[in-house]
Amino acid sequence: MTLTIVPLTEEHLDQVAELFVAGYRAQRQAVPSLPNGFEDAESIHEKPSRLSRRAPGAVAMEDRRLVGFFLGVRVDSLLGGRGVYVPEWGHAVAGGRAL
Protein backbone atom coordinates (compact mmCIF):
# COMPACT_ATOMS: atom_id res chain seq x y z
CA MET A 1 0.00 0.00 0.00
CA THR A 2 1.32 3.38 -1.07
CA LEU A 3 0.31 6.67 0.51
CA THR A 4 -0.06 9.52 -1.98
CA ILE A 5 -0.78 13.19 -1.25
CA VAL A 6 -2.82 14.93 -3.97
CA PRO A 7 -4.80 18.17 -4.24
CA LEU A 8 -8.34 18.01 -2.85
CA THR A 9 -10.92 18.08 -5.64
CA GLU A 10 -14.70 17.92 -5.95
CA GLU A 11 -14.47 14.13 -6.40
CA HIS A 12 -13.06 13.76 -2.87
CA LEU A 13 -15.80 15.66 -1.04
CA ASP A 14 -18.08 12.71 -0.22
CA GLN A 15 -15.16 10.81 1.30
CA VAL A 16 -13.97 13.96 3.09
CA ALA A 17 -17.35 14.38 4.79
CA GLU A 18 -17.56 10.68 5.72
CA LEU A 19 -14.03 10.66 7.16
CA PHE A 20 -14.65 13.77 9.23
CA VAL A 21 -17.95 12.44 10.59
CA ALA A 22 -16.41 9.08 11.51
CA GLY A 23 -13.67 10.82 13.46
CA TYR A 24 -16.09 13.19 15.14
CA ARG A 25 -18.32 10.32 16.25
CA ALA A 26 -15.31 8.65 17.83
CA GLN A 27 -14.44 11.89 19.62
CA ARG A 28 -18.00 12.20 20.95
CA GLN A 29 -17.71 8.74 22.47
CA ALA A 30 -14.63 9.95 24.37
CA VAL A 31 -16.12 13.39 25.13
CA PRO A 32 -19.94 13.07 25.21
CA SER A 33 -20.38 16.79 25.93
CA LEU A 34 -19.30 17.68 22.36
CA PRO A 35 -22.26 18.96 20.32
CA ASN A 36 -23.91 16.48 17.96
CA GLY A 37 -24.18 18.92 15.04
CA PHE A 38 -21.21 17.44 13.18
CA GLU A 39 -22.46 13.85 12.93
CA ASP A 40 -24.33 14.08 9.63
CA ALA A 41 -22.11 13.69 6.55
CA GLU A 42 -24.71 15.24 4.28
CA SER A 43 -24.79 18.49 6.24
CA ILE A 44 -20.99 18.53 6.64
CA HIS A 45 -20.44 18.01 2.88
CA GLU A 46 -21.45 21.60 2.05
CA LYS A 47 -18.83 23.16 4.36
CA PRO A 48 -15.67 21.77 2.70
CA SER A 49 -17.37 22.04 -0.68
CA ARG A 50 -17.76 25.82 -0.30
CA LEU A 51 -14.32 26.32 1.19
CA SER A 52 -12.55 24.20 -1.44
CA ARG A 53 -13.75 26.56 -4.17
CA ARG A 54 -11.58 29.35 -2.77
CA ALA A 55 -8.91 27.67 -0.64
CA PRO A 56 -6.39 24.92 -1.30
CA GLY A 57 -6.61 21.51 0.28
CA ALA A 58 -4.87 18.15 0.13
CA VAL A 59 -5.91 14.56 0.61
CA ALA A 60 -3.92 11.48 1.55
CA MET A 61 -4.89 8.49 -0.56
CA GLU A 62 -4.00 4.89 0.14
CA ASP A 63 -4.68 3.09 -3.10
CA ARG A 64 -8.13 4.55 -3.93
CA ARG A 65 -9.21 5.14 -0.35
CA LEU A 66 -9.05 8.59 1.24
CA VAL A 67 -7.29 8.24 4.61
CA GLY A 68 -6.75 11.90 5.48
CA PHE A 69 -7.39 15.46 4.40
CA PHE A 70 -6.53 19.06 5.21
CA LEU A 71 -8.35 22.17 4.02
CA GLY A 72 -7.66 25.70 5.19
CA VAL A 73 -7.60 29.37 4.32
CA ARG A 74 -4.35 31.28 4.08
CA VAL A 75 -4.28 34.27 6.42
CA ASP A 76 -1.75 36.97 5.59
CA SER A 77 -1.78 38.52 9.05
CA LEU A 78 -2.03 36.14 11.99
CA LEU A 79 -0.33 36.94 15.28
CA GLY A 80 2.36 38.94 13.54
CA GLY A 81 2.91 36.60 10.61
CA ARG A 82 1.23 34.54 7.94
CA GLY A 83 -0.69 31.40 8.74
CA VAL A 84 -3.51 29.07 7.82
CA TYR A 85 -6.92 28.92 9.46
CA VAL A 86 -8.30 25.38 9.47
CA PRO A 87 -11.91 25.01 10.64
CA GLU A 88 -12.79 22.14 12.97
CA TRP A 89 -14.28 20.27 9.97
CA GLY A 90 -11.26 21.07 7.79
CA HIS A 91 -9.10 18.07 8.69
CA ALA A 92 -9.30 14.39 9.62
CA VAL A 93 -7.37 11.14 9.40
CA ALA A 94 -8.64 7.59 9.34
CA GLY A 95 -8.81 6.01 12.81
CA GLY A 96 -5.52 4.97 14.34
CA ARG A 97 -3.40 6.59 11.62
CA ALA A 98 -0.61 9.10 11.82
CA LEU A 99 0.20 10.83 8.54
Side-chain angles (χ1 to χ4, degrees):
M1 290 188 255
T2 302
L3 187 67
T4 306
I5 308 298
V6 298
L8 187 148
T9 66
E10 186 76 26
E11 293 88 39
H12 298 121
L13 292 173
D14 288 340
Q15 292 179 75
V16 160
E18 291 292 338
L19 184 59
F20 173 79
V21 167
Y24 193 79
R25 285 183 182 143
Q27 285 297 308
R28 281 203 72 223
Q29 288 180 348
V31 184
S33 61
L34 288 172
N36 64 0
F38 290 137
E39 291 192 53
D40 177 36
E42 197 170 307
S43 65
I44 290 297
H45 186 280
E46 179 58 26
K47 294 175 183 300
S49 177
R50 272 185 291 153
L51 185 57
S52 69
R53 290 183 212 127
R54 61 181 212 273
V59 296
M61 303 294 293
E62 193 170 72
D63 299 321
R64 293 183 175 188
R65 187 170 90 88
L66 189 140
V67 295
F69 76 94
F70 178 89
L71 178 64
V73 177
R74 191 175 95 184
V75 180
D76 290 327
S77 178
L78 179 69
L79 302 173
R82 292 184 296 179
V84 176
Y85 168 70
V86 179
E88 60 271 17
W89 42 262
H91 60 94
V93 295
R97 299 190 65 88
L99 298 176

